[in-house]
Each structure stands twice: as C-alpha cells, then as structure tokens.
C-alpha cells in the first residue's frame, strides 16, 4: 500500500471518529487519493463503510458518462480548478475504477446505470 492510500485511510478513520461523519467527505477524499496502485485497496475500504459512502461512491461511478460523446456533454460545477481539468481528472479516476472491477460487477453496475 502506498502513501496515497495511507493518506486516504487516515482521513477516512478521522472522519469516522467525528460526531457526525459525512459520506460526502469520504467520497471526495476517495476520488482525490485514488491511483492505479491503490484502487482495489480503496474499494475494499469503502466496502466496509457504514455511513453510506460506498453507495454514494458507486452512484457517482454509475451515473458518470461512458462514451466519449457523453463525456463531452458532461457539465460539472467546480470552484478551484477549471471545468476541463476537473472533467479530465474525474474521467481518469472513474475509468480506473471501472477497469478494475470484475466482469460480474461490471454487468451488475450496468444494470443499475440503466435504471
């Protein structure tokens, strides 16, 4: 496990110790620290989640565009970084997750995406 995962795990653990932990914070941190080397570790940690972050994370993955054409239409409101930079970064992270789930999960996720 690399430093990015350790940083995420530390934030994750700190957030869970809060009086009212928020799933939003955990999901944002998961995307921020997600790398090719730790994608499985982050998915496994999120799978043990009890506050809804795992479900929120997968909703973000499943509602995100799939085709190049759909990514071109994707609009996301961001503050500190340019829309294009954010879109490019999110696409990389989302495709990284999609490429690291097994085929059965992919078919289940596509069913949820269709609903």
């Amino acid at each position: 496990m690399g430093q990015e995962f350790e940083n995420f795990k530390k934030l994750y653990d700190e957030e869970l110790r809060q009086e009212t932990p928020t799933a939003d914070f955990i999901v944002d941190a998961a995307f921020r620290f997600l790398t090719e080397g730790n994608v499985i570790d982050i998915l496994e940690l999120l799978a043990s989640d009890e506050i809804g972050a795992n479900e929120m994370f997968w909703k973000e993955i499943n509602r995100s565009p799939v085709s190049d054409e759909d990514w071109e239409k994707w609009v996301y409101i961001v503050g500190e970084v340019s829309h294009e930079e954010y879109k490019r970064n999110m696409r990389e992270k989302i495709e990284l997750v999609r490429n690291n789930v097994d085929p059965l999960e992919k078919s289940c996720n596509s069913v949820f995406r269709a609903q």
Side-chain angles (χ1 to χ4, degrees):
M1 287 181 243
Q3 188 61 44
E4 294 291 323
F5 177 73
E6 292 302 322
N7 291 341
F8 172 67
K9 186 165 180 356
K10 181 180 176 185
L11 282 174
Y12 179 87
D13 291 341
E14 287 174 7
E15 184 65 17
L16 290 181
R17 284 193 295 273
Q18 298 298 317
E19 188 174 318
T20 54
T22 63
D24 286 343
F25 179 83
I26 292 172
V27 171
D28 288 344
F31 279 113
R32 188 176 34 198
F33 290 108
L34 190 75
T35 66
E36 190 170 351
N38 69 18
V39 64
I40 300 301
D41 295 325
I42 286 180
L43 293 177
E44 287 175 350
L45 184 59
L46 286 173
S48 68
D49 165 64
E50 296 177 5
I51 64 167
N54 189 47
E55 182 180 348
M56 186 180 287
F57 179 84
W58 283 105
K59 282 182 181 178
E60 184 72 26
I61 296 294
N62 292 328
R63 73 183 178 124
S64 295
V66 177
S67 69
D68 290 338
E69 182 180 283
D70 289 341
W71 275 105
E72 288 298 318
K73 297 176 195 172
W74 196 61
V75 176
Y76 209 88
I77 307 301
V78 295
E80 297 176 10
V81 296
S82 75
H83 170 70
E84 289 302 317
E85 181 182 350
Y86 184 81
K87 181 166 58 171
R88 184 174 51 255
N89 184 44
M90 282 301 291
R91 182 176 185 174
E92 289 172 5
K93 304 280 182 156
I94 288 167
E95 289 179 352
L96 184 60
V97 171
R98 287 178 177 161
N99 290 333
N100 278 281
V101 295
D102 67 46
L104 179 58
E105 256 185 284
K106 283 183 184 179
S107 70
C108 289
N109 288 335
S110 66
V111 168
F112 289 117
R113 190 180 305 116
Q115 293 180 356

